[in-house]
Amino acid sequence: MEDSLMESRGQKRSEMAEELPADKRACSSLEFRPSSSTVTPETLVSSTSKAVEVHGVDMETSSSSASASGHSEGEGERDSPYGSCDSDDMDEGDHVYRNLRALQRSRSSNNSAKFDRLVSSLNNDAEPSGQLAALTELCELLSFCTSDSISSSIADQLSSALVKLAKHEDNPNIMLLAIRALTYSCDVFPRSSGSLVRHDAVPALCHRLLVIEYLDVAEQCLQALEKISRDHPLPCLQSGAIIAVLGYIDFFSTTVQRTALRTVVNVCKELPSECPPTVMEAVPRLCNLLQYEDQQLVELVATCLIKVADCVEDSPVRLSELHDHGVINQVIHLLELNSRTALSQSIYTGLVGVVAKIASGSPDAVKTLFELNIGSIIKDGLSNSDLPHGTPSPRSVDNNYAQVQEILKLLHVLLPEVDKDKKEESLSSTERTLLNHPDNLQKFGIDILSTLVQVVSSGANLYVCYGCLSVINRLVYFSKPETLLKLFEGINIASFLAGVFTRNDHHVLVLALQISETVLEKLSNILMPAFVKEGVLFAIDSLLMPDSCSQQHFPMVSSIQFRRIAGKEVKGCWCYAYHTRQLKSTPDPDTCKVNKDSVHSLAEQVKRKYFATELHGSQSMVTDLLQDLRIASLAINDLLTISPAKEPSSRTEEKLHSILDKIILQLGGNVPVSTFELIESGIVKALLNYLSNGHFLSSSYDPNDITHTYGVQKRFEAFARISLSSTDPALTDLPLSFLVRKLHSSLSNVENFPVVSGFPTKQRGSYATVPSGRSTMYPCLKVRFLRGEEELCLSDYAKDVVTVEPFCRVEEIEQYLRPKVTQTKMGSSETRTQSFLEAKPKADQDHLHTSSPPGKSVAHQGSRSTCTVSSDMKEDGDGKSLCSAMETSNLGQRTVGARTMSEDQSKSQEDKVHSLDGTENMIGTSSSTGLHADDGNSKDQSQAPSNNEDTPSKLVFYLDGEQLEYSSTLYQEILQRRMKSHHELHNGSKLWTSTYTITYRRVAGIEIGSKKECMGMHDDGTTDEALLCRQVMPLFSSIFGDRFGSKLDLPSSLSDILLLLKSLEMMNRFSYHLVSYERMKFFAEGRLNNLDEFKVAFSTLAQYEFVNSRLTEKLEQQMRDPSAVHVGALPLWWCQLIARFPFLFSFEARCKFFQLAAFGRVHTLPHTSSLSDSSLSRGRRTSPNSPPRKKFPVCRERILESAAQMMDIYANKKVVVEVEYSEEVGTGLGPTLEFYTLVSHEFQKAGLGMWRGDYMSLTNSCNQNGSASGFVVSTSGLFPRPWSSTSNNINGIEFSDVIKKFILLGQFVGKALQDGRVLDIPFSIAFYKLVLGKELSLCDIQSFDPELGRTLLEFKALDWRQKCLACSENNMHGYSSMFRSTKFEDLCLDFTLPGYPDYALSSGMDDVMVNINNLEEYISLVLDATLQTGVSRQLEAFKSGLNQVISDKNLQLFTEEELERLLCGERDSWLSGDVFDHIKLDHGYTAGSPPVINLMEVISEFTYEQKRAFLQFVTGAPRLPPGGLAALNPKLTIVRKHSSNCPDVDLPSVMTCANYLKLPPYSSKEIMKEKLLYAITEGQGSFHLS
């Protein structure tokens, strides 16, 4: 279809193609429209009616759903690759609609009379010719009429006449037309099928199929039977329709075969409980059809077999009969051949269920399955499943969950239940099969055991975990010792069991104990050391001593619970969860076979039998490695407690370094360190104590202690030297990698964060009174607000029970309630708050809520508030908001965008409430990287007002006696309490139907006293070094300031691992800063004399090394839950984890979380984790909640003005904007991407006064930049040009214009992130750091100005040496303070900013020259002008524009490198070895076609700029989206361009909307390269139709 369509279009536009042979061509809204083989007035009227209905819902634009690249049906709606058209033709549509309806009514009145006449003719006309004429007219009439034209009486008369004629034996034409009319009548008037059944149409049709005389008559009979069987399957079954349609199915075409099978499917949907013999007779024929190649046909046959198996699952005789008919062999062959690549998931799952049902009733089937190597198929099925984690959803479970259940049920059938008391003579046939064929069992176990262990270890929920452990228990029991040794090769069974013992369910614990007992019974001598090493003994001891056992911090659901599997709700204990009906022996599935007390008795039995002290001795229960690690950790702590606050001696440092080297060597040694040994030895705590300079284990901790800060910096510097370099040349990995991997392994073993499915009731719309009064798409919570006792200054809330939006933050509830219950005089702060709430448009109240890590609860009266205030309510001058970690993002128009910058800066400090719980707000502040400094925030906090009578106190809320965190959502707080109180989450409907009583109280004003400046508190020389540290690198001491007060109450082992990983990740990222500081120190102390030695090569770990795959999988699963409409709907622990430890999650997972936080629901395909198929693919969203689309006209000659106009209209609106160029017909994705590229280039033009390197103040600017219209070129990236506070105009450039451009740039960047567009603007890494709220230091200057940065570092080192010379003249005699053999005064530096002579660093110093004595002041002033004062206003302008579209707080999930990747896509070459996996070849081209091979070679020979040009030529953007070529959507498609002329004279053409390259078959690679280069260079700059 596409071939002919493209050829016809090429002919119609041949003249245009000749005029524009090589330009980029965009699709118009006329192209690639879907076609239909038949169009009737009825369908036309119906489609028009639907169109008018859609228009009535304020639909802005519509996009074609067709795809040139052949999108699959499940891809969902993406950015319209074929353009969009505004819905401005409403009047015309209404006119057409009215005309069609009028025509319809007139035809209906005429048709009724025609039907009467035709029925009379069919009944009375005895002549065959007359009957043929009447049937022909009837068929034509039925083809165009509607159901309104036929009454029930006419339909009944018509059915009687047609059935009689269908039995006409003499004239096949009459039979054919009668059956055709019969079929049409079922389409036009569906109730006529009942009349046909009453008049015995089904037996007549079946008779024609049993004895086929005319093929066309038989085909028409099949179509008629398919129509009738939809509503009347039982009469079809009774008439033998199954045998009739399958009898001669091989003689028909594939299309007709599908019709026949659909009839069988319809009949099998309602089979009686006693399966008729005719159905069983059809089974062999159905099995043969499974071998056919047509996928749709095979799936129809599979559906029939699934229905038959469901019908006979209670009959062992019928099940054995199915096995005898070869169902098992055919199904297994199909599963093995196709796996899940061809079969749909539901069919695959159903076929596994068929095998399980047959095996449950037929012992011979079990034997057959082992012979057919069923283990490998099960392994593939489990490996390809997206296994559920956490709590199973009681509301709805996806197909993957059903598949896992069916596979586990099959495994339970294949491996009988363990019964140690059963005698040999009473063994079942299945048990005898396993015992008599150990080879089959061994092969089966090798296939499935490792996969089952992986499933449990990956964090699967308790339901799946129980099923896997039950299978493992049975497998271990039936295996012989030598078989177990084979099974355990490559599996650390002891480590696996130690992890299982952390699960808090008696079913799981009993299974773990039974497996341990069986393994030790068979392999005690071999595996006992491993059980001790991995801590299995310790786990069993913990079960015997509940008080010492670690608490379960995330209790799961009860074992007796409701489950919905494959659409069926099942209630029962897990003991019967995987039993088939044949195996269920108890009438009451709620009865639990496992006594909870059996856990204690079984644990006691195992310990007494295998771990008794008298058997092994006390020392053998502890490994030598554990003893060594304990000694090392104690030694570290002892050395640190000698004098942690003072300068340690060199001997102490040497000892510490020696111990650390030994520890790291042990971690990477040949003897692996188990998780139990790592935690129990205290190494994690010892390392944290070392990095915190001895304060981690101390009860007193003051992060403001400058001596402690300097000590922590030195510890990180020393540990970086040890862990990021190796003296052993045999080691290929860095020592740090050993520690990080071991920590991740331990983290995966000890963490137990659940995935909780929300919305257990059906989602429904409701109205939320609090806080905004708006309708929601989900249920609301019922809340009763009560005034706290003794709160005389507050009034009672007037309303009894109100509905509260579940995902609004507690702070928003406070803002709503405070004006209503406050009796005191309303101060200015409250006036503003109330005005803000009243003025906020209701349409813009679609909130998105997130949360920050909560802190400790606060006393009721006079306590300090732990709340934070959102950026919608406050924003301080320097952009450092004290908002929560997961700050709410308003989906409507943002107030920060409505305010001007001056209003933001002048915002009153009254609402600033400092969180005193010690919790870091990782997304709200810069502390995500440990850069939180005391001077910035403490200065703001000191300005907070104290309580006074004019400023009413804020409110704090309490639920069940515990204070609610301002930054959490109400849903999160309630969910957290239900989890802690062991509520059964399966009964989640109570969460929505319960009424919650929330008490409100006043909180006293914030009393923050003036803190004594810590700088200068010490005179021992450490202050200067600490200040130097801070200028060179961030302060690492802030990492250890937030380890207390978490609401999660994590086990200490888990929190310690997380904190150590965070410390190591920060050390790894700032390793360059640490190395630079160390080199400066060496130079100052005289250990280095050559400044060139500052350049040191060092290695770091890749960022992905810190990603934890298990936590990433769980977060992905949580975000896929249908209830995850935004961040406020996620459980609190996920928000805290990703806020505090974002590095633990993959970039792709954080991108999805970012979309969830910034835009709402993540619209992804079910069970897709790849970057290309997810919503990460440049933010394209699917229906039905996709934002509307708008077209915006732009002018190429005034591209920046067009961008400003676009942002003025759409910056604050959630719409996807597509551009169309003036006087160009193209529109859609390609032109839009090019527009963003052109605007990106406009911002890089010289003469704007925006960027460093734009020397417009110099007289020779034209010479340096080429021309005034040239571009600012910076190999290190763009960084804002410093502007002095005293300069408002430089060479005609107004600073106000610069500010406006930065605001526009911020809007533009925000819109690109919102719409998923790729930009081509090379911001520097330092600029991204500023956008993320991070502080810059001296080392960061090299990232955008290497020469200046290196010079300042050398200056700083020289200044430090001068101080050392002054303090220690005797020790450093002979060292010079000259700069590269030159006196400093001879450098002739003045107090102006280097490169910007118009920027005076300090007033009154015009004639002062820089010398060695004022060098420190000069460096400080240059740093301030370059990184702070000179660029702060530009940065605030950029952020103000960005915040109009998207909150910059949401971006703090990413590092600066990741933010560049998110905004600008992939920088590296897009070609890779697997390029053919990510492109589509069509219309005459394959991977082996010579032109395709030549194209790959040509592109590989292109330069970097040529590759960029080629990419822009094909896609509209010179860079690929995040994920590279795999993420390009639509896929890059290469097709053969047909031409009547010689191919070598043609030029390639493209459709950028579809990433569609039409390449002529050139005769040689040289000609292809020439034509491609000409096309990509000359074909830019316009879009026309191809």
Side-chain angles (χ1 to χ4, degrees), residues 346-363:
S346 60
I347 295 298
Y348 184 93
T349 302
L351 289 177
V352 174
V354 169
V355 174
K357 291 180 179 70
I358 296 176
S360 67
S362 173

Side-chain angles (χ1 to χ4, degrees), residues 1190-1217:
K1190 282 288 187 180
K1191 285 198 301 186
F1192 187 83
V1194 300
C1195 179
R1196 287 186 181 273
E1197 290 73 22
R1198 298 186 300 275
I1199 201 75
L1200 204 57
E1201 295 178 17
S1202 298
Q1205 295 170 1
M1206 177 190 292
M1207 293 303 117
D1208 289 341
I1209 300 174
Y1210 296 117
N1212 297 320
K1213 296 180 180 179
K1214 297 296 179 182
V1215 297
V1216 176
V1217 182

